Amino acid sequence: MLGSIFQILFKYPLLVFQEGRFVLGAPGLLPWAAALATAFGVGAFWLYRRARGRADQRTRLTLAALRTGALALVLFLLLRPAVEVSSTVPQENFVAVVVDDSRSMAIAEGDDGSRGERAEGRFLRPSGDLMAALSETFLVRRYAFSDVVRRVGDSDTLRFAGSETLMLDAVQDVASQLSSVPLSGIVLVTDGGESGSTPLAEALLPIQREGIPVFTVGMGNETVDPDLELGPIDVPSRALVGGTLTVDVLVDQNGYDGRTATVEVEDQGMLVAAEEVPLPSDGAPGTARVRIPLGEAGPRALTFRVAPMAGERLEENNVRRALVRVEDRRDRILYVEGEPRWEVKFLRQAAAADENLEVVLFQRSADSRFLRLGVRDGDELLAGFPRTREQLFQYQGLILGSVEADFFTPDQLSMVHDFVSQRGGGFLMLGGPRAFGAGGYGGTPVEDALPVSLLPGSTGAPVSFRVGPRGARSVHPITQIRDTDDESMAAWEALPAAMSAHPAMEAKPGATVVLSGTPESGGEEVPILAVQRFGRGRAAALTVEDSWTWQFHHDVPVDDPSHERFWRQLLRWMVEDVRRQVTAELPGEPTPPGTALEVRATVDDTRYLERNDGVVSATVTGPSGEIVEVALNWIVEEDGVYAGTFTPREEGTYEVEVEARAGGEFIGTDVAYFRSAPSSREAFEPGMKRPLLERIARETGGRFYTESTVSRLPRELSVRGGGITTVERLDVWDAPLFLILLLGLLSGEWLLRRRDGMA
């Protein structure tokens, strides 16, 4: 609207003045015109001072200024003002029109067809209005792109079926193809989806070096309404068999405020979970927490789906898929305790019911006397707590109970730190009179790994706390002691109080408080169970020292599973993604058939330090049983990381077994899985990406247009584009604004004179 008003007043679009240079047709007469205007102004002021009438001095001065201004404007127009602008020479320059042919362009947002149909009709067909306007001035080359770029002829039609949008690669490719001809610019017609991983600044460098402006045309609306969309699904690549996978599913929405959606999860086609999701009234996303039982080992292809709702424009983004490897393995956890206590018995009792957990106890029963339970042979822990990293790192988890820091050597304390950060193991410290700050761990390497800040010295007598999950609906997978959140909250409320001698500790920044406690005698809430990621591993702090009362208290029914379930889930959390010496890494998103994917592996020695001298290979087994060997080579930029590429040819689940050797010795193996299937990435975040398209245009010297403003493109491209250009002088002396201004000055003078009796 403002641009149209500007063009009416100034005769030409604003871009002409922005890109052009103001000149005068008779610049030599400028001093004479200035002198004449000055003399006329002095004369007008003298005449109005002597003229009859009732006007005061200020009005007479205004009248003189108006008459002088009118004469000055006439003199200025006699100098023939103009704008010199560089414009492209007609039919001497090329323009590339590059249209997005990916699946997101097939989205229909109204009654005038899909984004792609509108783009094809206006930009690619010879009868299209914009194609016709561009062809009047330029030699137009037409292209379509998704994952690759192809030339488009008059009879070609687009399919809008591409599973990827490599927009920046397409711009570079077209610029390279037309590098030998005068190219005024590239017109990029797209909704702005970008599947490539190259940073924008890096991708635009070749275009900027060549000085090629990119004129971006954004197709579609910035939001698709109404629509539901599943957010990214964050699931671990592997999990222990027999457990429950807890996943928070985000449901984005437009146009369904205050409604209720349903999230379902299928495992190999069988419905295993369903949850209703209230959608907030302000358009914010809703979240569903679903729990998926993992009853069998092997690869599990999970499908997450939000049921379509009435009027939904796009249903393809209602589904996401994930692949989880469920492992039937036995993880060993070393439990070091400084004194006999009930916690030992009930913790081991809870773990004994889980075939995938094995707790190895090393307990001080008296001075210089130790109890070893769960050891595999007579030599294990015979010499005490492990004295080398190789010995300690054979365990997947480590628990320190009520045992003072002085029980360990300085090197052993450093080993505990490295067990978490370097080895990637799970670590837990339990409350007790010799634990945390009271045990002297402040200032040691162990304190760095803990998710709580320690206080020095003894913390006094234990305090009784009512313990429960923090928040009304924030039940963590560790504290899910019943089938639903509400049932779990009620079960926690029914459990007896627990004692802690560490009531003043605070959770560190970045840690998550899973359980909190309120003193029965009154006071502020404090962390009871806090967890955090630390380096490659996980660390937890449970500050109570008698959780066994949740099993053995007289108020707790004999068959109450709360205590055992809590401990099994805490121990499983510690070790569920523990690092191995050899770890295979594959993409979580499905890879379309025919698209190369990268197989990566990390290789460590027995101290979990990266090895760069390995011989690493991968055996890929396809859905039909075909076996392909892939060599993995060390990536020089990353210690211990090896990579190779493989291209799947058929849809389905692939098994990848990685084997590593070094120095003629076997290091280890790992198995991972990936799925090959058509990508649905184009369906997610389907709105037009205006900020990205504006940035591309701005940083290359082009302009951004929407479908409603793109009619300005042909004219502005001829002014702003490169290639073979000529300088054109455009007269502006006859612009309507100057006539309006002249009439305004003369009319203003006449009205003032008439008002004050001087007419």
Side-chain angles (χ1 to χ4, degrees), residues 240-241 330 349-358 568-569 572:
L240 273 176
V241 69
R330 193 167 178 83
Q349 180 176 297
D354 193 323
E355 295 181 354
N356 299 103
L357 297 174
E358 181 180 348
R568 282 200 298 272
Q569 290 172 169
R572 277 175 169 262

Side-chain angles (χ1 to χ4, degrees), residues 676-696:
S676 179
S679 174
S680 59
R681 187 183 323 183
E682 285 289 312
F684 293 92
E685 299 182 7
M688 185 259 288
K689 313 301 187 297
R690 182 185 186 113
L692 174 61
L693 296 178
E694 286 181 330
R695 182 180 172 188
I696 292 173

Side-chain angles (χ1 to χ4, degrees), residues 233-569:
I233 303 296
D234 184 16
V235 299
S237 60
R238 60 189 75 210
L240 273 176
V241 69
T244 300
L245 184 64
T246 303
V247 182
D248 287 328
V249 181
L250 190 71
V251 181
D252 290 307
Q253 58 99 4
N254 290 306
Y256 293 111
D257 294 12
R259 304 277 291 277
T260 298
T262 302
V263 172
E264 300 175 339
V265 184
E266 293 179 0
D267 182 357
Q268 310 290 100
M270 181 180 296
L271 183 67
V272 293
E275 190 75 26
E276 289 191 344
V277 188
L279 301 175
S281 58
D282 59 358
T287 303
R289 173 166 288 180
V290 295
R291 295 172 178 85
I292 306 160
L294 303 175
E296 297 180 3
R300 307 287 287 275
L302 302 177
T303 300
F304 296 81
R305 178 181 290 106
V306 57
M309 299 183 72
E312 190 171 355
R313 291 195 175 274
L314 185 64
E315 295 184 10
E316 194 176 354
N317 59 359
N318 290 30
V319 180
R320 286 189 185 266
R321 293 177 173 83
L323 191 63
V324 179
R325 178 189 175 188
V326 181
E327 298 178 324
D328 189 4
R329 66 176 195 265
R330 193 167 178 83
D331 290 326
R332 307 188 78 213
I333 300 172
L334 175 60
Y335 178 14
V336 182
E337 185 56 79
E339 60 187 31
R341 60 176 182 160
W342 286 107
E343 199 77 328
V344 175
K345 173 185 175 179
F346 287 97
L347 187 157
R348 295 188 70 248
Q349 180 176 297
D354 193 323
E355 295 181 354
N356 299 103
L357 297 174
E358 181 180 348
V359 175
V360 181
L361 178 67
F362 184 72
Q363 176 184 294
R364 182 171 57 194
S365 56
D367 289 343
S368 302
R369 297 181 66 86
F370 298 91
L371 174 66
R372 296 180 298 148
L373 296 177
V375 295
R376 290 182 175 175
D377 55 53
D379 293 332
E380 185 177 0
L381 301 176
L382 183 62
F385 187 81
R387 297 184 180 275
T388 67
R389 282 164 172 77
E390 289 86 351
Q391 292 174 346
L392 179 60
F393 290 4
Q394 68 177 309
Y395 299 98
Q396 286 74 48
L398 173 64
I399 301 174
L400 296 185
S402 183
V403 54
E404 66 279 5
D406 288 344
F407 177 78
F408 306 97
T409 67
D411 186 55
Q412 286 174 324
L413 293 173
S414 295
M415 285 165 49
V416 173
H417 174 282
D418 295 346
F419 178 83
V420 190
S421 64
Q422 181 177 306
R423 188 256 183 273
F427 172 57
L428 169 66
M429 181 173 283
L430 301 179
R434 299 182 182 87
F436 296 108
Y441 287 95
T444 70
V446 174
E447 181 185 17
D448 295 337
L450 288 171
V452 291
S453 300
L454 302 186
L455 298 174
S458 174
T459 53
V463 177
S464 179
F465 286 91
R466 301 297 305 185
V467 177
R470 170 170 288 187
R473 294 186 58 83
S474 59
V475 179
H476 191 276
I478 295 174
T479 60
Q480 188 71 37
I481 58 177
R482 292 292 188 274
D483 292 337
T484 68
D485 284 357
D486 292 339
E487 291 174 352
S488 292
M489 294 294 294
W492 279 106
E493 291 175 0
L495 290 177
M499 306 296 290
S500 174
H502 317 280
M505 290 190 299
E506 295 182 352
K508 291 180 180 177
T512 299
V513 177
V514 175
L515 286 174
S516 58
T518 304
E520 288 195 304
S521 58
E524 295 184 359
E525 187 180 76
V526 299
I528 296 298
L529 174 61
V531 299
Q532 72 173 8
R533 297 290 309 195
F534 184 72
R536 294 174 170 177
R538 294 176 169 184
L542 180 64
T543 63
V544 297
E545 55 192 75
D546 60 349
S547 74
W548 59 270
T549 59
W550 298 337
Q551 175 73 38
F552 202 54
H553 195 276
H554 59 81
D555 289 337
V556 178
V558 175
D559 59 349
D560 191 312
S562 301
H563 180 263
E564 290 188 358
R565 193 166 176 178
F566 166 72
W567 270 107
R568 282 200 298 272
Q569 290 172 169

Side-chain angles (χ1 to χ4, degrees), residues 120-203:
E120 186 177 22
R122 300 189 72 181
F123 284 95
L124 294 185
R125 301 281 72 84
S127 58
D129 59 332
L130 290 168
M131 175 55 65
L134 288 171
S135 299
E136 290 179 1
T137 307
F138 302 99
L139 301 171
V140 182
R141 293 292 180 267
R142 293 165 289 175
Y143 299 86
F145 75 95
S146 55
D147 54 340
V148 295
V149 177
R150 61 186 176 89
R151 182 82 177 270
V152 176
D154 289 346
S155 60
D156 292 337
T157 58
L158 304 188
R159 300 182 299 275
F160 307 110
S163 60
E164 290 189 291
T165 306
L166 301 181
M167 177 173 59
L168 300 175
D169 290 351
V171 171
Q172 291 185 21
D173 194 2
V174 169
S176 176
Q177 292 185 37
L178 298 178
S179 60
S180 60
V181 300
L183 184 61
S184 288
I186 295 175
V187 178
L188 180 63
V189 186
T190 177
D191 55 20
E194 172 60 30
S195 305
S197 57
T198 305
L200 180 61
E202 179 181 335

Side-chain angles (χ1 to χ4, degrees), residues 527-679:
I528 296 298
L529 174 61
V531 299
Q532 72 173 8
R533 297 290 309 195
F534 184 72
R536 294 174 170 177
R538 294 176 169 184
L542 180 64
T543 63
V544 297
E545 55 192 75
D546 60 349
S547 74
W548 59 270
T549 59
W550 298 337
Q551 175 73 38
F552 202 54
H553 195 276
H554 59 81
D555 289 337
V556 178
V558 175
D559 59 349
D560 191 312
S562 301
H563 180 263
E564 290 188 358
R565 193 166 176 178
F566 166 72
W567 270 107
R568 282 200 298 272
Q569 290 172 169
L570 176 54
L571 298 178
R572 277 175 169 262
W573 175 88
M574 289 173 57
V575 300
E576 70 179 358
D577 66 347
V578 68
R579 190 178 179 90
R580 295 162 174 75
Q581 282 185 253
V582 177
T583 304
E585 299 175 3
L586 296 170
E589 290 288 328
T591 301
T595 302
L597 66 84
E598 186 179 52
V599 179
R600 292 167 68 97
T602 57
V603 180
D604 295 335
D605 62 16
T606 55
R607 293 164 56 91
Y608 283 81
L609 299 174
E610 299 89 350
R611 294 200 67 155
N612 298 331
D613 60 343
V615 178
V616 186
S617 62
T619 302
V620 183
T621 304
S624 62
E626 180 185 7
I627 297 176
V628 178
E629 297 291 334
V630 179
L632 307 185
N633 300 312
W634 172 45
I635 300 177
V636 179
E637 296 82 5
E638 299 183 64
D639 287 334
V641 179
Y642 299 77
T645 58
F646 169 76
T647 303
R649 299 299 178 188
E650 55 183 324
E651 293 187 23
T653 301
Y654 287 73
E655 179 185 271
V656 180
E657 182 176 7
V658 175
E659 179 181 293
R661 296 178 179 272
E665 296 182 356
F666 177 76
I667 298 178
T669 64
D670 190 27
V671 176
Y673 298 86
F674 74 89
R675 289 183 63 250
S676 179
S679 174

